[in-house]
Amino acid sequence: MAIGEGERHMRPLIKSLLLSSTFVGLGFGGIVTASASNYSARRANSVRLVWRHHMGRHAYHTVKGARYSKHLGVKYSTNDDLPDVTWYTEAHEKLYNKKKHTAAIYYHVKSGDGQHGGWIWRGYLTAGMASQQSSTNESETTETYPKVTLFSAKSTAEYQNAIETQDYYALAKHVWALFPGTKLNLWLSQMTAYGSMMDSTKPEDFKGFEKEGLTDTKGIVSWHVGNLWSEFESTETLPMSSRIKWITERMNTAGLTQKKRRGFEGWYIGLNFVDDEKDHSNINYDSFRDPDEHPMTYEVILVPPTNFS
């Protein structure tokens, strides 16, 4: 059973569609020719354009992620193939992921010589020219970037400790408190990044669940922000009490009242609640596991203890 602002479905495991033709054009200045073997109908159809506008010229550099056509249909190349290139912005767009009920903003960029370009998720872009990259060493980086995140945690205990002690997981900590007596599960928390896979009835998918000790998907409850993601993001500057009030009001509307939530004592819980970083990246996002590059997910999954072996 899934509870939320919009119905979630199992994300289909379909590989990119291979065509033999060639796609040309960026839509905002410059021309890039890409092999149609980089075209994915699934990726293109997974998103809906919210808005697209011209923007000022700003310099960025990156070796993360990839460059796409304006609706993500064509993947031109990964950004690590041009590590020394400075990218200049000329447009931006917001895309809504129809299955995940999340949104992401992409910048359209071009190289200084106009030979390369495409749409890059802004969370991958670092301000400044490529030649101005900081020489910060690895030890300094690990001191400023969170050491434990949803996908870097080696165990549930490690993820739980981060939620209980780290400021960047304050939101998750307060949401967890709405479900007293529940037991955190790292794997369930990671599952939120792929939509509600628990809704799957495919035998081949259930085998994957069995490897994690899940013997039955019946009775599973989930709640997510859904189509209200934009409204929720606007609460980021409000006090935590106001944000939790916003969440509890919508949980109540969806049937997850305080009485209902208290009834989950002893259940396993998956949590994915963390705010966008100042550079628009998200620490609970893993590009290697989620090629669609839509990072923002706010979700809770609850599983009866009898469903685990």
Side-chain angles (χ1 to χ4, degrees):
M1 173 174 66
I3 298 177
E5 306 297 340
E7 185 177 359
R8 303 283 294 273
H9 298 284
M10 168 62 188
R11 165 186 239 193
L13 302 176
I14 303 174
K15 294 188 177 181
S16 298
L17 179 64
L18 301 181
L19 301 176
S20 59
S21 57
T22 299
F23 288 78
V24 180
L26 285 174
F28 278 94
I31 294 178
V32 172
T33 302
S35 168
S37 63
N38 292 327
Y39 174 76
S40 169
R42 170 178 170 266
R43 187 172 56 232
N45 293 328
S46 70
V47 296
R48 172 174 58 82
L49 178 67
V50 179
W51 51 256
R52 182 183 295 134
H53 305 294
H54 287 277
M55 67 180 292
R57 181 181 170 93
H58 304 282
Y60 289 93
H61 60 271
T62 185
V63 292
K64 300 177 181 178
R67 302 184 299 281
Y68 295 90
S69 60
K70 62 184 178 181
H71 209 263
L72 306 187
V74 179
K75 181 178 180 179
Y76 295 128
S77 182
T78 55
N79 293 321
D80 58 5
D81 67 340
L82 297 170
D84 300 322
V85 167
T86 296
W87 300 105
Y88 295 95
T89 60
E90 54 182 19
H92 54 165
E93 67 179 8
K94 174 175 276 191
L95 298 178
Y96 173 73
N97 188 297
K98 293 179 282 188
K99 289 192 174 182
K100 293 185 181 179
H101 307 290
T102 60
I105 292 178
Y106 287 74
Y107 287 170
H108 184 262
V109 299
K110 288 173 59 179
S111 57
D113 60 10
Q115 296 301 305
H116 305 281
W119 294 87
I120 302 175
W121 174 52
R122 67 179 182 177
Y124 285 142
L125 294 166
T126 300
M129 300 179 66
S131 59
Q132 297 175 344
Q133 291 189 52
S134 172
S135 59
T136 302
N137 60 42
E138 185 175 349
S139 63
E140 290 175 332
T141 301
T142 55
E143 289 177 358
T144 58
Y145 192 80
K147 295 179 180 180
V148 178
T149 64
L150 180 61
F151 285 105
S152 70
K154 296 179 176 61
S155 66
T156 292
E158 192 173 46
Y159 185 50
Q160 178 172 330
N161 182 67
I163 289 178
E164 293 176 337
T165 62
Q166 301 302 313
D167 291 342
Y168 55 88
Y169 277 136
L171 181 60
K173 180 180 179 179
H174 282 80
V175 172
W176 190 10
L178 299 176
F179 299 86
T182 53
K183 296 177 288 187
L184 186 68
N185 182 280
L186 176 61
W187 177 71
L188 288 176
S189 300
Q190 292 173 341
M191 292 301 293
T192 63
Y194 309 104
S196 294
M197 291 187 70
M198 299 304 176
D199 293 337
S200 176
T201 57
K202 297 180 179 180
E204 61 269 26
D205 294 328
F206 190 69
K207 289 180 180 178
F209 300 154
E210 290 176 332
K211 291 180 181 179
E212 300 295 334
L214 188 66
T215 57
D216 193 352
T217 58
K218 294 180 181 178
I220 291 176
V221 174
S222 67
W223 180 87
H224 51 87
V225 172
N227 293 324
L228 297 176
W229 55 267
S230 181
E231 182 181 342
F232 180 69
E233 286 183 339
S234 68
T235 70
E236 188 170 352
T237 57
L238 298 179
M240 184 62 70
S241 58
S242 298
R243 306 188 74 195
I244 295 302
K245 180 182 178 182
W246 186 98
I247 291 173
T248 53
E249 287 176 349
R250 281 144 188 84
M251 283 185 176
N252 291 339
T253 300
L256 276 177
T257 61
Q258 184 181 48
K259 181 179 179 180
K260 178 76 171 179
R261 296 195 302 270
R262 287 178 175 174
F264 293 120
E265 183 176 359
W267 284 42
Y268 291 97
I269 187 170
L271 284 171
N272 187 358
F273 278 82
V274 65
D275 288 317
D276 214 2
E277 296 290 281
K278 292 181 180 179
D279 64 356
H280 309 297
S281 63
N282 185 270
I283 62 173
N284 275 5
Y285 169 66
D286 187 334
S287 62
F288 293 103
R289 298 169 186 259
D290 189 359
D292 287 341
E293 303 187 21
H294 290 265
M296 299 309 296
T297 301
Y298 305 98
E299 186 168 1
V300 175
I301 294 178
L302 296 139
V303 178
T306 53
N307 289 30
F308 274 97
S309 58

